[in-house]
Amino acid sequence: MKNNKKELSSEQREELLKTLKNRFEKNMNRHKDIEWTKVQAKLEANPQKLWSLDDMEVTGGEPDVVGYDKSKNEYIFYDCAAETPKGRRSLCYDRAALDARKEHKPQNSAMDVAADMGIEILTEEQYRELQQFGKFDTKTSSWLKTPADIRKLGGALFGDYRYGTVFLYHNGAESYYAARGFRGALRV
């Protein structure tokens, strides 16, 4: 069990690093020209980020490195599970949507859960980038970071992959479905 300081025990840290390394080595197409030893050193220097990655893992996200931002010296992780993470489904979009529901409220909102985890919900651009590494959300869908002008009108965006195509669509932000969750991004 995690402690309130959002730090992993040494045993949890070692187990997570082993899991991340194995996934990294099995999916080299996601991170060409990136060396695991450099990623690991960065992770070990950032225990708060390791805690967030563990949350991504525990909720079914299967986080993996998908890029490196040279200008910021940061490795970029996305949830790479085939379907939207099981531990992050049946959520409306944000707190305003959750508060607006009069009955049959979900337990939480995607934006609140992401904030608690210390991650960001994927943007439309990031979601399309992720889809270049495989076929994701063929049976589920994922909430996406929604522009303020759309959200102000009550809507929120989500994406999925059907018929060989990435589809982006909208729904009322207060809606929630058993097959819709969210995917996260984390920079380390």
Side-chain angles (χ1 to χ4, degrees), residues 51-141:
W51 185 89
S52 293
L53 282 167
D54 190 62
D55 254 8
M56 291 170 81
E57 184 68 30
V58 167
T59 56
E62 299 178 20
D64 197 9
V65 178
V66 296
Y68 176 70
D69 183 337
K70 289 180 187 177
S71 67
K72 294 182 179 179
N73 187 28
E74 293 177 328
Y75 293 98
I76 303 162
F77 286 80
Y78 288 171
D79 284 309
C80 293
E83 302 299 335
T84 199
K86 282 187 178 186
R88 293 185 245 149
R89 295 182 189 174
S90 296
L91 304 169
C92 62
Y93 180 71
D94 61 10
R95 174 60 50 182
L98 182 62
D99 291 345
R101 286 194 70 97
K102 302 291 185 232
E103 54 185 33
H104 307 295
K105 289 185 180 214
Q107 289 187 342
N108 211 333
S109 75
M111 294 296 282
D112 285 348
V113 172
D116 288 346
M117 294 173 68
I119 64 176
E120 296 286 328
I121 289 180
L122 292 186
T123 64
E124 175 183 342
E125 179 183 350
Q126 291 169 325
Y127 191 74
R128 289 185 184 281
E129 181 183 337
L130 172 67
Q131 295 288 355
Q132 294 175 12
F133 300 119
K135 297 175 183 173
F136 298 92
D137 290 338
T138 62
K139 298 174 188 157
T140 58
S141 62

Side-chain angles (χ1 to χ4, degrees), residues 9 16 42 44 54 67 69 82 108 122 129 146 150 152-153 159:
S9 69
L16 177 61
K42 198 80 147 131
E44 289 175 342
D54 190 62
D69 183 337
N108 211 333
L122 292 186
E129 181 183 337
T146 300
I150 294 172
K152 193 184 303 182
L153 296 171

